[in-house]
Amino acid sequence: MKKQSKLKSFRRSARLVAAGTLAFTAASGTQSTALAEPKDPHNGKQEATAATFNFDIPEGQLADVLTQFRKVSGVGTSIHLPPEQIAGFHSKGVKGAMTFDVALKAILDGTGLGYQMDRGGTRADIQVQNAEQVSVTTSTNSVAMGQFTESLTDTAQTISVVPQYILQEQATTTLRDGLRNVPGISLAAGEGGSQGDNLTIRGFTARNDIYLDGIRDFGSYYRDAFDFEAINVLEGPASVEFGRGSTGGVVNQEMKQAVSNKFVRTNFLFGTDAMRRGSVDVNLPMTGLIPNAAFRLNAMGQDQGVAERNVTNVRRLGVAPSLAFGLGTATRYTINYVHEYETDIPDYGLPYNGLGVAAVPRANYYGFAHGNSLITQPDILTGRFEHDVNSHLTIRNTLRWGYYPRNILITEPQINTTATVTGVGTPISTLTGTVNGTAVTPVYASYVATCNPNAAAVASQCYPIGTPLSQISVLRNQIQATSVEDILWDRMEAIGHLRVHGIDNDFTVAVEGGRERSNPLRSKYAFAPAQQYTSALNPTPNDAFTPTSVTFNGFTHVATQSYGVNFLDTLKVTRWLMFSGGIRFDYFNANSAAAAIPATSTAAVTLSRLDKQPTYRAAVVVKPARNGSVYFDYGTSFNPAAESLSLAANTATSPPEENTTYEVGTKWDLLKDKLNLNGSIFRTQKLNARETDPTNSLNSLLVGTQLVRGVQIGAVGHLPQHFDLIAGYAYLDGRVLGSALNASPYATTNANFYNSWLLALQTNPNAKLDPRYNTAPYFISPNNFPFANVPKNGGNFWLTHSLPWRFVGGFGGNYVSARRASSTAMYGQYNSSAATLLSAVAFAPKAIPGYTVLNAMLRRPINEHMDLQVNVNNLTNKFYIDTPHPNHLIPGEGINAQFGFNARF
């Protein structure tokens, strides 16, 4: 029944996408791209050229500059270029009193474009004048968010943009793959029931720091790239702009919006592993029906397997309509809706065997092909109103409603290599009881660890190093969750320009707030041993999924009410010196209600937490030249206990973690702004990391200190001869500087020493604490341990160039150095099944090897409207771990190819 229901839902969504695609494709045609219509045309050419106008148009995207040019002069413009290229052109703007033709020449200066006037002198036809000089790099030097008023070159923060042309060249289909173009980001596997895009930025988790057009997109789902205009990554604390979180930075998805020109773009992909994908992007001006209005529809459907992985499958549908009113006018309205539907046979990869990945065939699937599933259906509706009060002030209001249902049942493969610890001889203390909710057991003079692969019960078997894989059974740990998250959020901002005492000020004032809720429901599955375990070498994914019992394992309702007020300002003291700063205040109120769990005698719990937190940013920018800057930046951020919409008894009384960063960097625009370079040195410190008290799990301590120091460089370019480039490198030295946690695998025995002493004090005030407490091997400090899933070295590159016979070739790849699976845990290594004194056991961390993956692309146009493209990923069929987790490892895809057909009209 569940399969039939999923199939019916998929078919309904498919019919909706297909119907919309056919309707709007049929209504579309081919015509020249008109950027603006003349508002007040002149009566003749001589009058038009003789008139003088006062222009004050700042630099920006060519389309925006030409819109302002039309408002001032009344002269319309048409660009004869493919629509997808127009958004990339940059203009230096124009300022001063002059005729419109002089102004237009200044606007087009450096772009490689020229113009010719029509006979009436009322319209300029803009065409490529010199193909070797065409500049289309604008989208990499700006982001479409009100928090940032300056070009990225003049913004004192590392901000990486993955533009549309890179996403197209790489045939990128997901946010995760797009983020591989940004250094300093590590991808990770899902945590428990929190599936979806999970990543770290500069060493700190950013799962809750993903935004959609500047507003938090916190649902747990895998984001498709079919509606992306670009991906923006802001690195370093950004709470002053975005509120809670953002210790390492934030990711913003810049979505496609309805525009004034008419076009149709389609893409079809067919590839290995039964890969099939189709997408369409249709934009229709509605001037015949509603002046200055347009409608845009993006739609996508995909079905594919995964290279070098058995069973797992990905099936997605998406639709994203956009409606815009008032384009090119002072008052604009947009409505955007995104619906994605994903139904997968999910993959939690391979198990650890001791300290590393089990040496099993890379295609092994340990789950249940007919039982495991992942279904997500996010719906996101956004309305935006913008009004230009005058040339110096714009008011913008954005309202967002998001609804994120999900249902998951995933198998996590586990091989037990954790030994059983037992006391030896006569106990030196026979006290038993309970302290702080923890059972106290007798204390012995010595302890041994036993890793026995021949235990009678398979659940008790432990596999020492060297155990033949044919003798190892893998536990199929079931992770189940049904949940709905939702958000209702509003952001109002004023973006303006003032000149005070001769100093230009570009400022943003914003007020935002709303409600976020999460309602996870979890169940626990039990199986007969024959189904609960499977062979490590030859798993049986087609086993019937027949649990012996399904029990309620928890339901929690978490609701937060929050708001934030911020002010950001950039002072342009001189042409070469700028100061910028900001302050924000956040109010974050979280309430949690957890239902009772009868099976474990867990009582219902109601918790709440209120945080009121200011954050700050200050920076100075020095411009040695117009096209370059050197900057220093200081910023703060905070992480409340309920940041991820979860609250526990040991965190409800815990104040926010606080973070600071210092960054020195430089940015340069070269080759007439066709090539953007940046580099930075930074230091981010978390001074009071939240940790669970190792002696009392009911307490949470703010005692941890974490530090990341690093260097980052990046380049992005869009040059002649189809020479496109995006590259970056990050060196990250992330360390735990101070921690109260115990990294020893025998931490339970160490805690028992302490709790036994507390129990003894109740009857004997002179009782002594066991001298072995907090000593090796019972205690290991994680101080100076490297961060989990943070490679010390990581880099990426991608470049394309024209080849003979009208071909365009592309080549690139990613390098990731070795990583640790955990920053606060060590693991025992057992070489035999014999009992071993704990003092004789060797410790080591779980580790993930580094890797290099190479990719290639070849494209050739058929005509001016169509081209063929081939992408081959993982050229060497490298086996590597792409997304690690402390309990499982998900391999990257093997070699795979996509054959694409692109059309645009």
Side-chain angles (χ1 to χ4, degrees), residues 151-193:
S151 69
L152 298 190
T153 304
D154 296 339
T155 300
Q157 185 175 6
T158 299
I159 302 178
S160 301
V161 176
V162 184
Q164 178 66 211
Y165 60 84
I166 295 293
L167 300 177
Q168 292 175 349
E169 291 167 354
Q170 297 178 347
T172 299
T173 61
T174 64
L175 174 64
R176 285 173 295 165
D177 286 341
L179 291 174
R180 299 182 196 278
N181 293 290
V182 181
I185 289 184
S186 301
L187 303 178
E191 292 277 354

mmCIF file of all heavy atoms in Angstrom, residues 151-193:
data_model
loop_
_atom_site.group_PDB
_atom_site.id
_atom_site.type_symbol
_atom_site.label_atom_id
_atom_site.label_comp_id
_atom_site.label_asym_id
_atom_site.label_seq_id
_atom_site.Cartn_x
_atom_site.Cartn_y
_atom_site.Cartn_z
ATOM 1 N N SER A 151 29.315 46.273 -3.733
ATOM 2 C CA SER A 151 29.801 45.169 -4.553
ATOM 3 C C SER A 151 30.612 44.239 -3.673
ATOM 4 O O SER A 151 31.107 44.631 -2.605
ATOM 5 C CB SER A 151 30.675 45.698 -5.694
ATOM 6 O OG SER A 151 31.892 46.226 -5.183
ATOM 7 N N LEU A 152 30.761 42.990 -4.105
ATOM 8 C CA LEU A 152 31.498 42.039 -3.287
ATOM 9 C C LEU A 152 32.955 42.451 -3.137
ATOM 10 O O LEU A 152 33.586 42.145 -2.124
ATOM 11 C CB LEU A 152 31.400 40.643 -3.889
ATOM 12 C CG LEU A 152 29.994 40.051 -3.981
ATOM 13 C CD1 LEU A 152 30.057 38.584 -4.351
ATOM 14 C CD2 LEU A 152 29.229 40.232 -2.675
ATOM 15 N N THR A 153 33.485 43.161 -4.117
ATOM 16 C CA THR A 153 34.863 43.643 -4.017
ATOM 17 C C THR A 153 35.026 44.588 -2.843
ATOM 18 O O THR A 153 36.076 44.611 -2.191
ATOM 19 C CB THR A 153 35.270 44.360 -5.317
ATOM 20 O OG1 THR A 153 35.076 43.479 -6.421
ATOM 21 C CG2 THR A 153 36.722 44.810 -5.267
ATOM 22 N N ASP A 154 33.994 45.371 -2.533
ATOM 23 C CA ASP A 154 34.058 46.350 -1.450
ATOM 24 C C ASP A 154 33.382 45.862 -0.177
ATOM 25 O O ASP A 154 33.147 46.648 0.740
ATOM 26 C CB ASP A 154 33.409 47.659 -1.903
ATOM 27 C CG ASP A 154 34.163 48.298 -3.057
ATOM 28 O OD1 ASP A 154 35.352 47.976 -3.236
ATOM 29 O OD2 ASP A 154 33.563 49.108 -3.785
ATOM 30 N N THR A 155 33.057 44.575 -0.105
ATOM 31 C CA THR A 155 32.442 43.996 1.087
ATOM 32 C C THR A 155 33.494 43.257 1.893
ATOM 33 O O THR A 155 34.187 42.380 1.364
ATOM 34 C CB THR A 155 31.307 43.032 0.708
ATOM 35 O OG1 THR A 155 30.305 43.748 -0.027
ATOM 36 C CG2 THR A 155 30.673 42.427 1.946
ATOM 37 N N ALA A 156 33.625 43.612 3.172
ATOM 38 C CA ALA A 156 34.688 43.079 4.019
ATOM 39 C C ALA A 156 34.299 41.712 4.598
ATOM 40 O O ALA A 156 34.120 41.555 5.809
ATOM 41 C CB ALA A 156 35.009 44.060 5.135
ATOM 42 N N GLN A 157 34.171 40.743 3.733
ATOM 43 C CA GLN A 157 33.854 39.384 4.152
ATOM 44 C C GLN A 157 34.086 38.471 2.954
ATOM 45 O O GLN A 157 33.885 38.865 1.804
ATOM 46 C CB GLN A 157 32.394 39.274 4.617
ATOM 47 C CG GLN A 157 32.018 37.912 5.176
ATOM 48 C CD GLN A 157 30.594 37.901 5.731
ATOM 49 O OE1 GLN A 157 29.856 38.867 5.598
ATOM 50 N NE2 GLN A 157 30.208 36.803 6.365
ATOM 51 N N THR A 158 34.513 37.249 3.225
ATOM 52 C CA THR A 158 34.680 36.290 2.137
ATOM 53 C C THR A 158 33.310 35.811 1.680
ATOM 54 O O THR A 158 32.580 35.173 2.434
ATOM 55 C CB THR A 158 35.523 35.086 2.585
ATOM 56 O OG1 THR A 158 36.820 35.536 2.973
ATOM 57 C CG2 THR A 158 35.674 34.087 1.448
ATOM 58 N N ILE A 159 32.954 36.154 0.453
ATOM 59 C CA ILE A 159 31.670 35.756 -0.131
ATOM 60 C C ILE A 159 31.958 35.110 -1.484
ATOM 61 O O ILE A 159 32.519 35.747 -2.374
ATOM 62 C CB ILE A 159 30.713 36.952 -0.304
ATOM 63 C CG1 ILE A 159 30.462 37.626 1.056
ATOM 64 C CG2 ILE A 159 29.405 36.500 -0.925
ATOM 65 C CD1 ILE A 159 29.560 38.848 0.983
ATOM 66 N N SER A 160 31.582 33.850 -1.605
ATOM 67 C CA SER A 160 31.797 33.119 -2.850
ATOM 68 C C SER A 160 30.474 32.983 -3.585
ATOM 69 O O SER A 160 29.445 32.696 -2.977
ATOM 70 C CB SER A 160 32.371 31.727 -2.564
ATOM 71 O OG SER A 160 33.600 31.809 -1.868
ATOM 72 N N VAL A 161 30.513 33.194 -4.899
ATOM 73 C CA VAL A 161 29.333 33.055 -5.740
ATOM 74 C C VAL A 161 29.598 31.964 -6.770
ATOM 75 O O VAL A 161 30.609 32.001 -7.473
ATOM 76 C CB VAL A 161 28.984 34.374 -6.450
ATOM 77 C CG1 VAL A 161 27.798 34.174 -7.392
ATOM 78 C CG2 VAL A 161 28.671 35.464 -5.428
ATOM 79 N N VAL A 162 28.697 30.991 -6.821
ATOM 80 C CA VAL A 162 28.734 29.983 -7.877
ATOM 81 C C VAL A 162 27.685 30.401 -8.904
ATOM 82 O O VAL A 162 26.485 30.229 -8.678
ATOM 83 C CB VAL A 162 28.437 28.581 -7.339
ATOM 84 C CG1 VAL A 162 28.591 27.539 -8.449
ATOM 85 C CG2 VAL A 162 29.361 28.242 -6.168
ATOM 86 N N PRO A 163 28.107 30.977 -10.032
ATOM 87 C CA PRO A 163 27.145 31.558 -10.965
ATOM 88 C C PRO A 163 26.444 30.507 -11.825
ATOM 89 O O PRO A 163 26.841 29.344 -11.875
ATOM 90 C CB PRO A 163 28.007 32.487 -11.819
ATOM 91 C CG PRO A 163 29.369 31.869 -11.779
ATOM 92 C CD PRO A 163 29.495 31.224 -10.428
ATOM 93 N N GLN A 164 25.431 30.973 -12.547
ATOM 94 C CA GLN A 164 24.610 30.083 -13.352
ATOM 95 C C GLN A 164 25.426 29.362 -14.421
ATOM 96 O O GLN A 164 25.218 28.179 -14.667
ATOM 97 C CB GLN A 164 23.478 30.901 -14.006
ATOM 98 C CG GLN A 164 22.581 30.114 -14.918
ATOM 99 C CD GLN A 164 21.766 29.066 -14.180
ATOM 100 O OE1 GLN A 164 21.461 28.038 -14.758
ATOM 101 N NE2 GLN A 164 21.405 29.309 -12.939
ATOM 102 N N TYR A 165 26.372 30.060 -15.036
ATOM 103 C CA TYR A 165 27.096 29.418 -16.139
ATOM 104 C C TYR A 165 27.953 28.252 -15.643
ATOM 105 O O TYR A 165 28.146 27.265 -16.364
ATOM 106 C CB TYR A 165 27.929 30.431 -16.934
ATOM 107 C CG TYR A 165 28.994 31.180 -16.165
ATOM 108 C CD1 TYR A 165 30.253 30.643 -15.955
ATOM 109 C CD2 TYR A 165 28.750 32.462 -15.680
ATOM 110 C CE1 TYR A 165 31.232 31.342 -15.280
ATOM 111 C CE2 TYR A 165 29.719 33.180 -15.001
ATOM 112 C CZ TYR A 165 30.964 32.613 -14.796
ATOM 113 O OH TYR A 165 31.932 33.311 -14.126
ATOM 114 N N ILE A 166 28.453 28.311 -14.404
ATOM 115 C CA ILE A 166 29.205 27.180 -13.852
ATOM 116 C C ILE A 166 28.263 26.010 -13.570
ATOM 117 O O ILE A 166 28.580 24.845 -13.862
ATOM 118 C CB ILE A 166 29.943 27.597 -12.572
ATOM 119 C CG1 ILE A 166 31.014 28.644 -12.884
ATOM 120 C CG2 ILE A 166 30.551 26.382 -11.874
ATOM 121 C CD1 ILE A 166 32.164 28.134 -13.719
ATOM 122 N N LEU A 167 27.105 26.296 -13.006
ATOM 123 C CA LEU A 167 26.136 25.234 -12.734
ATOM 124 C C LEU A 167 25.733 24.526 -14.023
ATOM 125 O O LEU A 167 25.567 23.296 -14.048
ATOM 126 C CB LEU A 167 24.896 25.822 -12.049
ATOM 127 C CG LEU A 167 25.129 26.514 -10.704
ATOM 128 C CD1 LEU A 167 23.821 27.110 -10.181
ATOM 129 C CD2 LEU A 167 25.711 25.551 -9.678
ATOM 130 N N GLN A 168 25.577 25.284 -15.111
ATOM 131 C CA GLN A 168 25.191 24.684 -16.385
ATOM 132 C C GLN A 168 26.320 23.838 -16.964
ATOM 133 O O GLN A 168 26.089 22.735 -17.468
ATOM 134 C CB GLN A 168 24.781 25.776 -17.367
ATOM 135 C CG GLN A 168 23.492 26.487 -16.992
ATOM 136 C CD GLN A 168 23.181 27.655 -17.922
ATOM 137 O OE1 GLN A 168 24.012 28.074 -18.718
ATOM 138 N NE2 GLN A 168 21.970 28.176 -17.807
ATOM 139 N N GLU A 169 27.526 24.356 -16.903
ATOM 140 C CA GLU A 169 28.663 23.620 -17.478
ATOM 141 C C GLU A 169 28.901 22.301 -16.748
ATOM 142 O O GLU A 169 29.268 21.302 -17.374
ATOM 143 C CB GLU A 169 29.917 24.481 -17.424
ATOM 144 C CG GLU A 169 29.877 25.682 -18.359
ATOM 145 C CD GLU A 169 30.973 26.678 -18.069
ATOM 146 O OE1 GLU A 169 31.703 26.508 -17.065
ATOM 147 O OE2 GLU A 169 31.103 27.650 -18.843
ATOM 148 N N GLN A 170 28.691 22.285 -15.453
ATOM 149 C CA GLN A 170 28.918 21.071 -14.672
ATOM 150 C C GLN A 170 27.691 20.176 -14.615
ATOM 151 O O GLN A 170 27.740 19.119 -13.989
ATOM 152 C CB GLN A 170 29.350 21.443 -13.255
ATOM 153 C CG GLN A 170 30.672 22.190 -13.193
ATOM 154 C CD GLN A 170 31.055 22.587 -11.782
ATOM 155 O OE1 GLN A 170 30.238 22.534 -10.854
ATOM 156 N NE2 GLN A 170 32.297 22.999 -11.600
ATOM 157 N N ALA A 171 26.597 20.595 -15.260
ATOM 158 C CA ALA A 171 25.329 19.848 -15.207
ATOM 159 C C ALA A 171 24.944 19.577 -13.756
ATOM 160 O O ALA A 171 24.537 18.475 -13.379
ATOM 161 C CB ALA A 171 25.425 18.546 -15.997
ATOM 162 N N THR A 172 25.053 20.615 -12.926
ATOM 163 C CA THR A 172 24.763 20.496 -11.495
ATOM 164 C C THR A 172 23.265 20.319 -11.276
ATOM 165 O O THR A 172 22.455 21.068 -11.817
ATOM 166 C CB THR A 172 25.246 21.750 -10.756
ATOM 167 O OG1 THR A 172 26.660 21.862 -10.928
ATOM 168 C CG2 THR A 172 24.912 21.678 -9.277
ATOM 169 N N THR A 173 22.909 19.339 -10.459
ATOM 170 C CA THR A 173 21.497 19.076 -10.190
ATOM 171 C C THR A 173 21.106 19.269 -8.735
ATOM 172 O O THR A 173 19.919 19.255 -8.414
ATOM 173 C CB THR A 173 21.118 17.645 -10.611
ATOM 174 O OG1 THR A 173 21.905 16.704 -9.856
ATOM 175 C CG2 THR A 173 21.370 17.426 -12.099
ATOM 176 N N THR A 174 22.069 19.445 -7.826
ATOM 177 C CA THR A 174 21.744 19.586 -6.404
ATOM 178 C C THR A 174 22.566 20.703 -5.784
ATOM 179 O O THR A 174 23.623 21.096 -6.301
ATOM 180 C CB THR A 174 22.023 18.292 -5.623
ATOM 181 O OG1 THR A 174 23.436 18.015 -5.658
ATOM 182 C CG2 THR A 174 21.255 17.111 -6.217
ATOM 183 N N LEU A 175 22.090 21.202 -4.655
ATOM 184 C CA LEU A 175 22.835 22.198 -3.890
ATOM 185 C C LEU A 175 24.179 21.630 -3.458
ATOM 186 O O LEU A 175 25.206 22.314 -3.520
ATOM 187 C CB LEU A 175 22.024 22.630 -2.666
ATOM 188 C CG LEU A 175 22.729 23.569 -1.687
ATOM 189 C CD1 LEU A 175 23.049 24.907 -2.339
ATOM 190 C CD2 LEU A 175 21.879 23.781 -0.432
ATOM 191 N N ARG A 176 24.185 20.369 -3.011
ATOM 192 C CA ARG A 176 25.435 19.765 -2.538
ATOM 193 C C ARG A 176 26.512 19.800 -3.610
ATOM 194 O O ARG A 176 27.670 20.139 -3.339
ATOM 195 C CB ARG A 176 25.189 18.323 -2.089
ATOM 196 C CG ARG A 176 24.469 18.190 -0.754
ATOM 197 C CD ARG A 176 24.117 16.745 -0.485
ATOM 198 N NE ARG A 176 23.154 16.242 -1.469
ATOM 199 C CZ ARG A 176 22.881 14.968 -1.651
ATOM 200 N NH1 ARG A 176 23.507 14.053 -0.935
ATOM 201 N NH2 ARG A 176 21.988 14.592 -2.543
ATOM 202 N N ASP A 177 26.154 19.441 -4.846
ATOM 203 C CA ASP A 177 27.149 19.437 -5.912
ATOM 204 C C ASP A 177 27.594 20.857 -6.253
ATOM 205 O O ASP A 177 28.761 21.084 -6.573
ATOM 206 C CB ASP A 177 26.588 18.742 -7.146
ATOM 207 C CG ASP A 177 26.519 17.232 -6.973
ATOM 208 O OD1 ASP A 177 27.206 16.706 -6.081
ATOM 209 O OD2 ASP A 177 25.755 16.584 -7.707
ATOM 210 N N GLY A 178 26.689 21.813 -6.187
ATOM 211 C CA GLY A 178 27.081 23.197 -6.425
ATOM 212 C C GLY A 178 28.072 23.698 -5.398
ATOM 213 O O GLY A 178 28.991 24.462 -5.710
ATOM 214 N N LEU A 179 27.921 23.261 -4.148
ATOM 215 C CA LEU A 179 28.797 23.713 -3.072
ATOM 216 C C LEU A 179 30.192 23.113 -3.156
ATOM 217 O O LEU A 179 31.097 23.565 -2.442
ATOM 218 C CB LEU A 179 28.170 23.372 -1.713
ATOM 219 C CG LEU A 179 26.919 24.173 -1.354
ATOM 220 C CD1 LEU A 179 26.311 23.656 -0.055
ATOM 221 C CD2 LEU A 179 27.225 25.658 -1.233
ATOM 222 N N ARG A 180 30.401 22.130 -4.006
ATOM 223 C CA ARG A 180 31.739 21.579 -4.192
ATOM 224 C C ARG A 180 32.663 22.596 -4.863
ATOM 225 O O ARG A 180 33.881 22.396 -4.916
ATOM 226 C CB ARG A 180 31.684 20.297 -5.017
ATOM 227 C CG ARG A 180 30.873 19.181 -4.371
ATOM 228 C CD ARG A 180 30.881 17.911 -5.217
ATOM 229 N NE ARG A 180 29.831 16.997 -4.819
ATOM 230 C CZ ARG A 180 29.912 16.144 -3.797
ATOM 231 N NH1 ARG A 180 31.013 16.103 -3.085
ATOM 232 N NH2 ARG A 180 28.899 15.350 -3.498
ATOM 233 N N ASN A 181 32.096 23.686 -5.367
ATOM 234 C CA ASN A 181 32.887 24.745 -5.982
ATOM 235 C C ASN A 181 33.348 25.797 -4.991
ATOM 236 O O ASN A 181 33.941 26.800 -5.401
ATOM 237 C CB ASN A 181 32.062 25.433 -7.074
ATOM 238 C CG ASN A 181 31.768 24.522 -8.247
ATOM 239 O OD1 ASN A 181 32.655 24.181 -9.018
ATOM 240 N ND2 ASN A 181 30.513 24.100 -8.384
ATOM 241 N N VAL A 182 33.088 25.594 -3.712
ATOM 242 C CA VAL A 182 33.430 26.587 -2.689
ATOM 243 C C VAL A 182 34.398 25.972 -1.693
ATOM 244 O O VAL A 182 34.064 24.972 -1.039
ATOM 245 C CB VAL A 182 32.170 27.085 -1.956
ATOM 246 C CG1 VAL A 182 32.546 28.134 -0.917
ATOM 247 C CG2 VAL A 182 31.166 27.652 -2.947
ATOM 248 N N PRO A 183 35.603 26.508 -1.538
ATOM 249 C CA PRO A 183 36.539 25.970 -0.543
ATOM 250 C C PRO A 183 36.070 26.272 0.872
ATOM 251 O O PRO A 183 35.344 27.244 1.106
ATOM 252 C CB PRO A 183 37.841 26.705 -0.859
ATOM 253 C CG PRO A 183 37.405 27.989 -1.490
ATOM 254 C CD PRO A 183 36.156 27.656 -2.258
ATOM 255 N N GLY A 184 36.467 25.428 1.808
ATOM 256 C CA GLY A 184 36.110 25.633 3.208
ATOM 257 C C GLY A 184 34.818 24.973 3.612
ATOM 258 O O GLY A 184 34.403 25.095 4.768
ATOM 259 N N ILE A 185 34.143 24.270 2.682
ATOM 260 C CA ILE A 185 32.892 23.575 2.984
ATOM 261 C C ILE A 185 33.134 22.071 2.962
ATOM 262 O O ILE A 185 33.771 21.551 2.046
ATOM 263 C CB ILE A 185 31.792 23.950 1.981
ATOM 264 C CG1 ILE A 185 31.337 25.390 2.210
ATOM 265 C CG2 ILE A 185 30.603 23.013 2.082
ATOM 266 C CD1 ILE A 185 30.192 25.821 1.321
ATOM 267 N N SER A 186 32.608 21.376 3.968
ATOM 268 C CA SER A 186 32.652 19.917 4.017
ATOM 269 C C SER A 186 31.230 19.391 4.072
ATOM 270 O O SER A 186 30.404 19.897 4.830
ATOM 271 C CB SER A 186 33.424 19.430 5.252
ATOM 272 O OG SER A 186 34.753 19.914 5.254
ATOM 273 N N LEU A 187 30.942 18.370 3.274
ATOM 274 C CA LEU A 187 29.633 17.737 3.287
ATOM 275 C C LEU A 187 29.627 16.606 4.294
ATOM 276 O O LEU A 187 30.632 15.932 4.508
ATOM 277 C CB LEU A 187 29.291 17.211 1.889
ATOM 278 C CG LEU A 187 29.313 18.246 0.767
ATOM 279 C CD1 LEU A 187 29.005 17.592 -0.567
ATOM 280 C CD2 LEU A 187 28.330 19.369 1.045
ATOM 281 N N ALA A 188 28.464 16.383 4.913
ATOM 282 C CA ALA A 188 28.350 15.347 5.938
ATOM 283 C C ALA A 188 27.062 14.581 5.745
ATOM 284 O O ALA A 188 26.131 15.035 5.076
ATOM 285 C CB ALA A 188 28.398 15.965 7.340
ATOM 286 N N ALA A 189 27.014 13.377 6.336
ATOM 287 C CA ALA A 189 25.808 12.562 6.279
ATOM 288 C C ALA A 189 24.795 13.077 7.289
ATOM 289 O O ALA A 189 25.127 13.845 8.208
ATOM 290 C CB ALA A 189 26.146 11.101 6.560
ATOM 291 N N GLY A 190 23.539 12.659 7.125
ATOM 292 C CA GLY A 190 22.479 13.081 8.027
ATOM 293 C C GLY A 190 22.681 12.573 9.438
ATOM 294 O O GLY A 190 23.260 11.510 9.661
ATOM 295 N N GLU A 191 22.191 13.336 10.396
ATOM 296 C CA GLU A 191 22.261 12.977 11.799
ATOM 297 C C GLU A 191 20.918 12.430 12.250
ATOM 298 O O GLU A 191 19.923 13.165 12.270
ATOM 299 C CB GLU A 191 22.623 14.201 12.657
ATOM 300 C CG GLU A 191 24.027 14.719 12.438
ATOM 301 C CD GLU A 191 25.058 13.956 13.238
ATOM 302 O OE1 GLU A 191 24.639 13.102 14.034
ATOM 303 O OE2 GLU A 191 26.251 14.199 13.060
ATOM 304 N N GLY A 192 20.853 11.148 12.614
ATOM 305 C CA GLY A 192 19.611 10.580 13.123
ATOM 306 C C GLY A 192 18.478 10.779 12.155
ATOM 307 O O GLY A 192 18.507 10.346 11.023
ATOM 308 N N GLY A 193 17.434 11.486 12.595
ATOM 309 C CA GLY A 193 16.290 11.735 11.739
ATOM 310 C C GLY A 193 16.400 13.015 10.940
ATOM 311 O O GLY A 193 15.465 13.381 10.245
#
